Amino acid sequence: MVKIGNIELGDFPLLLAPMEDVSDPPFRAVCKQNGADLMYTEFISSEGLIRDAAKSVQKLDVYDYERPIGIQIFGNEIESMREAAAIAEEAGPDILDINYGCPVNKVACKGAGAGILLDIPKMVSMTAEIVKRVNIPVTVKTRLGWNHETIKIVEVAERLQDVGIQAISIHARTRQQMYKGEADWSWLNLVKDNPRLHIPVFGNGDIDSPEKAAEYKAKYNVDGMMIGRASIGYPWIFNEIKHYLATGEKLTAPDLTERLAVTRKHLDFSIEWKGEKQGILEMRRHYTNYFRGMPNFKPFRTEMVTADTYEQVCEILNQVAELYADYEFQP
């Protein structure tokens, strides 16, 4: 049984990665219903929380059906991160996660996210202060290092454990790689082989199919996996991986009826949470994957990503249901 503090996650948990502009409550809802064992919010700016910025505060929304749920924060100032951690804890999550992995320039080049990998002592000090400030388990998501020459992930994981974190998720790329090239999970074996390390280690990067999940589970000694981009528009991946790991067989791909139902559910929640205009706008990134593989679908996708009202989107979905009623998706 994998545990974070007293939170039991099963024998090999699958985690939903925190993804900016993706891992919001509507998306988390459909992932939870399709097998995600632990989910994290989008990353939240510590400075935004301290200033009570509306966008940052809204990201604190968590719901009981999501549990266990973690709130993730990022920043480059230790005192600001301590204050933000306390604010996040008041929102009622089960876990507080620190983002030490975001590679984008506007974050990393300011010393936050993956930028702190250039200053490991500060990374350790910041983590220690956050652990002291809250009463819930603290976890970390990070990368292997800033670049290949600066990889110290074995040392980093141990030092973060020693100041109190209770799990670590490692995206097996460097900051320099961004999301390009192949993730190198061999480093995760080295982390797990450290006899002093006893916290759970979750692997992240390139898990996009049940077969790959099974291959990596057998090859690398991780305690679970974090799924990110492969879940966008395809929340079924969590249950598909679980089924394959348990039986060695692939589930039948979700049919059109199921895809339409989940798309509508996701859209309804998105509008309920953010209002019609913003809810429709933020759904646009998901349509391509919900209907991936359907022939001659581009005109419908174009209509969906330009539709401005709920009624327009629903009418397009009705047309899709009628025209592709006999289409069979391949697993």
Side-chain angles (χ1 to χ4, degrees):
M1 174 67 70
V2 177
K3 298 173 68 174
I4 298 178
N6 293 321
I7 302 168
E8 296 184 350
L9 298 175
D11 292 333
F12 192 79
L14 301 179
L15 287 60
L16 172 65
M19 293 178 283
E20 175 69 355
D21 294 328
V22 175
S23 301
D24 59 13
F27 181 65
R28 297 198 305 264
V30 296
C31 288
K32 184 68 174 183
Q33 292 166 359
N34 285 279
D37 296 302
L38 171 63
M39 304 184 296
Y40 288 100
T41 64
E42 304 170 74
F43 71 174
I44 308 175
S45 163
S46 58
E47 300 297 335
L49 286 183
I50 293 169
R51 295 194 312 270
D52 201 30
K55 184 176 181 180
S56 295
V57 171
Q58 187 178 39
K59 291 179 180 179
L60 292 174
D61 288 351
V62 295
Y63 299 87
D64 283 342
Y65 66 78
E66 299 183 283
R67 299 191 186 281
I69 180 75
I71 288 177
Q72 188 188 74
I73 60 173
F74 77 97
N76 67 342
E77 296 294 336
I78 293 178
E79 184 55 36
S80 295
M81 287 288 279
R82 287 182 77 255
E83 292 183 44
I87 295 169
E89 184 179 27
E90 290 176 0
D94 303 286
I95 293 166
L96 181 74
D97 190 71
I98 311 171
N99 182 312
Y100 291 145
C102 179
V104 300
N105 286 339
K106 67 179 181 179
V107 174
C109 292
K110 294 180 179 179
I116 206 167
L117 288 165
L118 291 170
D119 190 347
I120 301 304
K122 181 179 178 180
M123 183 188 198
V124 174
S125 297
M126 180 181 288
T127 305
E129 290 301 313
I130 291 170
V131 169
K132 293 175 192 173
R133 190 66 180 83
V134 300
N135 295 307
I136 56 177
V138 174
T139 60
V140 159
K141 183 170 190 284
T142 189
R143 287 185 170 232
L144 299 177
W146 180 260
N147 54 30
H148 189 76
E149 290 72 31
T150 60
I151 294 177
K152 298 180 180 179
I153 191 61
V154 176
E155 172 194 340
V156 166
E158 182 178 324
R159 291 180 68 180
L160 295 180
Q161 171 190 264
D162 290 348
V163 297
I165 72 163
Q166 298 193 42
I168 187 168
S169 300
I170 303 171
H171 184 138
R173 288 183 174 88
T174 64
R175 187 272 169 178
Q176 187 178 60
Q177 285 181 274
M178 301 295 284
Y179 296 98
K180 299 176 182 178
E182 187 175 356
D184 185 358
W185 283 54
S186 65
W187 287 99
L188 277 66
N189 264 345
L190 297 177
V191 173
K192 285 294 294 181
D193 285 345
N194 180 357
R196 288 203 67 250
L197 198 82
H198 55 78
I199 60 173
V201 176
F202 303 115
N204 176 227
D206 293 349
I207 300 301
D208 56 8
S209 69
E211 294 92 338
K212 182 168 281 189
E215 176 191 350
Y216 279 35
K217 180 177 185 291
K219 191 172 181 180
Y220 305 105
N221 189 27
V222 293
D223 298 290
M225 293 177 177
M226 179 176 276
I227 313 296
R229 288 172 291 168
S231 66
I232 300 175
Y234 202 82
W236 301 277
I237 192 167
F238 297 99
N239 276 336
E240 287 183 357
I241 289 174
K242 287 181 175 180
H243 183 81
Y244 191 83
L245 292 179
T247 67
E249 299 176 352
K250 294 193 69 172
L251 284 173
T252 302
D255 62 17
L256 183 60
T257 300
E258 171 69 7
R259 290 171 193 250
L260 288 167
V262 172
T263 302
R264 288 192 170 99
K265 184 180 298 182
H266 191 168
L267 175 63
D268 288 345
F269 196 164
S270 187
I271 291 173
E272 177 185 340
W273 189 57
K274 285 202 167 180
E276 182 170 7
K277 182 178 179 179
Q278 195 65 25
I280 288 174
L281 182 66
E282 296 194 4
M283 267 297 292
R284 291 175 176 175
R285 64 178 57 89
H286 297 279
Y287 294 130
T288 296
N289 282 358
Y290 274 132
F291 303 104
R292 184 177 298 279
M294 294 175 64
N296 306 313
F297 194 75
K298 185 176 180 180
F300 292 101
R301 184 171 64 249
T302 301
E303 288 184 35
M304 276 190 248
V305 300
T306 54
D308 295 321
T309 69
Y310 179 73
E311 289 74 19
Q312 288 174 342
V313 177
C314 288
E315 176 56 31
I316 298 165
L317 293 176
N318 289 338
Q319 293 174 22
V320 170
E322 182 176 350
L323 185 62
Y324 291 90
D326 297 327
Y327 182 75
E328 295 185 6
F329 290 87
Q330 298 302 310

